[in-house]
Amino acid sequence: MTLCCARFRRTHPEDKIKNAKIIFVVGGPGSGKGTQCEKVVEKYGYTHLSSGDLLRAEVASGSERGKQLQAIMQKGELVPLDTVLDMIKDAMIAKADVSKGFLIDGYPREVQQGEEFEKKIGAPSLLLYINAKPETMVKRLMKRGETSGRADDNEETIKKRLDLYYKATEPVIAFYESRGIVRKIDSELAVDDVFKQVCQAIDNLK
Ligand SMILES: Nc1ncnc2c1ncn2[C@H]1C[C@H](O)[C@@H](COP(=O)(O)OP(=O)(O)O)O1
Ligand SMILES: [Mg+2]
C-alpha cells in the first residue's frame, strides 16, 4: 500500500454511506411512492431520494446532460444506468450526516440496476412494494398531470411507462423476494391506510 492510499482511506466519501439503512421503494408510476415517502421522511427522519426527481432537477438545470436526459424521459424510456446511480450516490453522501436512512424511490427499475446499486453502494434491508391496479395508476397520473407540469404525465407516455414497469421492474420484486425483504403494500386504500402498512414494515426493521 502506498502512503497516498493510507492517508486518504479514512476520508473516502463512500465510507459515509457504507452502513446506511437503505429501503427500496418500488411500484408502478402513480402507485403512490412519492406520497408515502414524504410521510416516512416526516415520521422517521429518512432522506427521500427519487431518481425521477434527481433527473428532473438535472433537466431543469439546463445542462447538456440534462437535455439528453429530457429527450429520453419524454419518450418514457429508461436513462442510462450509470447516470442515475452516480446521482443517487452523490445525493446519499451529501445527506449522510443528517439521515436516519434512505428511501430509494423509483430505483431499481430493472434487476441489473439493483445489482449495480449493491456493488457501488450497498444492500437494501427492505423493499416496499407499493402495489396498485393499472386502472388506478392511470387515473391518478392523469389527475396529477393536470398540475404536475411533468412532460411524461400524458396518456401516451403513461401507457409506455406502465408497460415498461410490468416488463422490467416487476422482475426486481421477484429478485428481492427470494431474499425475504419484500413487503407488499396495498396502495388502493386511502393515503393514511396505505401509510399504516408502510409503518408496520419499517417498525419491524428494528
Ligand atoms: N393512496 C392514494 N389514494 C389516492 N390518491 C393517491 C394515493 N397515493 C397517491 N395518490 C395521488 C397523489 C398523486 O397525485 C398521484 C401519484 O402519486 P405519487 O405519489 O406521485 O406516485 P409515484 O411517485 O408512485 O409516481 O396519486
Ligand atoms: Mg414519484
Side-chain angles (χ1 to χ4, degrees):
M1 187 196 315
T2 65
L3 183 62
C4 155
C5 286
R7 255 182 76 200
F8 286 106
R9 172 170 291 180
R10 244 184 298 150
T11 55
H12 218 273
E14 269 94 352
D15 286 355
K16 284 185 154 195
I17 51 170
K18 227 164 56 189
N19 297 312
K21 208 182 274 178
I22 293 163
I23 299 179
F24 283 167
V25 184
V26 179
S31 60
K33 300 180 296 294
T35 303
Q36 294 302 317
C37 284
E38 244 174 64
K39 294 176 79 69
V40 172
V41 168
E42 200 181 304
K43 179 167 176 183
Y44 294 92
Y46 273 57
T47 293
H48 174 209
L49 294 175
S50 154
S51 57
D53 289 348
L54 290 172
L55 292 165
R56 281 185 289 277
E58 183 78 37
V59 171
S61 80
S63 69
E64 199 43 52
R65 182 160 80 171
K67 282 180 196 145
Q68 289 164 11
L69 291 172
Q70 184 173 34
I72 298 170
M73 288 159 75
Q74 216 150 30
K75 286 187 270 177
E77 293 168 4
L78 296 180
V79 305
L81 192 149
D82 283 340
T83 311
V84 193
L85 201 51
D86 287 345
M87 291 170 86
I88 293 176
K89 190 172 163 186
D90 290 347
M92 285 178 77
I93 290 169
K95 289 281 186 171
D97 293 333
V98 295
S99 290
K100 292 269 192 289
F102 293 94
L103 295 161
I104 310 297
D105 162 8
Y107 189 100
R109 285 285 227 277
E110 55 193 0
V111 171
Q112 198 200 350
Q113 290 189 352
E115 291 172 327
E116 288 299 316
F117 184 101
E118 296 199 34
K119 264 191 242 160
K120 284 200 185 172
I121 300 173
S125 32
L126 173 68
L127 186 154
L128 289 172
Y129 169 23
I130 310 295
N131 185 49
K133 288 187 283 201
E135 309 90 86
T136 306
M137 294 193 266
V138 171
K139 210 162 42 180
R140 287 178 185 171
L141 288 174
M142 292 301 289
K143 185 107 189 45
R144 185 174 79 180
E146 291 169 11
T147 53
S148 70
R150 278 181 53 165
D152 57 355
D153 279 348
N154 65 76
E155 202 159 4
E156 197 193 325
T157 309
I158 288 171
K159 193 178 171 311
K160 277 172 97 172
R161 286 156 71 206
L162 273 179
D163 285 348
L164 188 59
Y165 169 71
Y166 286 112
K167 205 170 75 193
T169 309
E170 285 228 315
V172 171
I173 296 158
F175 179 80
Y176 286 102
E177 221 144 40
S178 61
R179 265 194 228 169
I181 64 163
V182 174
R183 295 292 172 269
K184 187 173 182 177
I185 306 296
D186 178 3
S187 191
E188 288 287 328
L189 307 176
V191 170
D192 286 340
D193 294 319
V194 178
F195 188 55
K196 278 184 197 143
Q197 304 166 62
V198 169
C199 290
Q200 247 171 26
I202 295 179
D203 291 339
N204 279 334
L205 268 182
K206 292 167 202 154

